[in-house]
């Protein structure tokens, strides 16, 4: 369960990216976050993983306010959150298997991780997840020789290998051919349904949000302006979301 209360983020240059956002997210939800570019979607996800530090407010994840976490406690929290970036964020000169195994790094002392000392259980988990994303033939291939779509599948397998309680995906198909969107969102949706892991995805293509999510959060200029079932989205509401005519929740 994630409970966000009065979350605000102002960047040092004065940009107010999030304004007083409050939302409750039960375990196992698959949520699409929509809104124009610059609306605050990415900042919201990054605050949930503390890649951005909130300026105000609380983010309580399973009873723990993660806003004040530091050092080892922050590292411990982060290993339970898989983050999928637009640009994959892989180590491109390493193999698929090594990248996916790096999902286990947060679970071992740094020196073990640096030496690549993963146990058999880690390796089996990594291999199973590589298979899940359909890359078993590519296990030992260097990531820089893969296509963009394949690289994003590696990033998804890496996130799964963290055994996360939460997956955050920041427009994971934005830098890919649109035809690949269904592959990427399908993998996240299957994982959500199989494992009951909460998934939040920023999706700027409304049609995709409608196809995959049950619940939608919409941002406009840093404010949460809609939180409801995807079935409530009709053209009038969509117009209101994007034009900024809705009151903040
Ligand atoms: P979205 O994901 O909806 O496109 P973002 O969360 O990336 O929106 O951005 C929200 C606002 O915060 C935008 O005005 C953006 O320019 C600004 N912003 C994002 N990151 C930074 C940063 N590091 N420093 C200053 N402003 C930022």
């Amino acid at each position: 369960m994630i409970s966000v209360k009065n979350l605000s983020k102002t960047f040092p240059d004065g940009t107010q990216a999030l304004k007083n956002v409050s939302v409750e997210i039960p375990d196992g939800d698959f949520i699409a976050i929509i809104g124009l570019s610059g609306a605050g979607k990415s900042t919201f996800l990054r605050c949930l993983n503390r890649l951005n530090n909130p300026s105000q407010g609380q983010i309580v994840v399973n009873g723990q306010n993660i806003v004040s976490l530091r050092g080892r406690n922050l590292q411990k929290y982060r290993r339970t959150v898989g983050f999928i970036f637009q640009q994959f964020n892989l180590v491109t000169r390493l193999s698929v298997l090594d990248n996916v195994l790096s999902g286990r790094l947060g679970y071992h002392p740094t020196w073990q991780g640096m030496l690549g000392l993963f146990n058999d259980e880690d390796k089996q988990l990594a291999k199973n997840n590589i298979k899940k994303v359909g890359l078993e033939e590519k296990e030992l291939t260097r990531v820089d020789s893969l296509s963009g779509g394949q690289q994003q599948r590696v990033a998804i397998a890496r996130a799964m290998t963290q055994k996360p309680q939460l997956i955050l995906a920041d427009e994971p198909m934005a830098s890919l051919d649109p035809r690949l969107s269904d592959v990427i969102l399908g993998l996240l949706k299957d994982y959500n349904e199989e494992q009951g892991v909460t998934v939040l995805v920023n999706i700027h293509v409304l049609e995709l949000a409608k196809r995959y999510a049950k619940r939608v959060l919409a941002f406009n200029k840093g404010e949460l302006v809609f939180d409801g079932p995807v079935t409530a989205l009709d053209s009038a509401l969509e117009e209101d979301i994007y034009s900024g005519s809705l009151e903040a929740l």
Side-chain angles (χ1 to χ4, degrees), residues 65-137:
N65 183 8
I66 62 119
V67 170
S68 49
L69 294 179
R70 303 272 177 275
R72 275 178 72 83
N73 287 333
L74 179 57
Q75 187 198 358
K76 224 167 151 184
Y77 168 68
R78 280 211 181 116
R79 76 185 182 196
T80 70
V81 184
F83 202 100
I84 294 163
F85 298 84
Q86 244 177 62
Q87 297 297 339
F88 327 132
N89 273 37
L90 300 169
V91 185
T92 53
R93 65 192 163 69
L94 294 182
S95 70
V96 169
L97 181 60
D98 285 340
N99 271 278
V100 173
L101 269 171
S102 75
R104 301 304 299 158
L105 278 179
Y107 290 90
H108 300 295
T110 318
W111 65 268
Q112 262 186 11
M114 274 164 50
L115 295 174
L117 294 177
F118 296 101
N119 59 35
D120 288 347
E121 207 178 310
D122 288 340
K123 285 182 191 153
Q124 202 48 54
L125 178 65
K127 284 174 184 222
N128 288 346
N129 287 329
I130 290 170
K131 199 165 170 197
K132 231 178 231 166
V133 301
L135 290 174
E136 63 269 49
E137 312 278 294

Side-chain angles (χ1 to χ4, degrees), residues 166-183:
L166 170 66
I167 289 192
L168 306 170
D170 191 6
E171 305 215 17
M173 54 288 163
S175 53
L176 302 175
D177 184 318
R179 286 174 305 152
L180 295 171
S181 301
D182 283 303
V183 175

Side-chain angles (χ1 to χ4, degrees), residues 11-13 15 17 35-44 170-171 202:
F11 286 103
D13 68 355
T15 306
L36 293 175
S37 172
K41 305 182 296 296
S42 177
T43 306
F44 180 68
D170 191 6
E171 305 215 17
N202 287 347

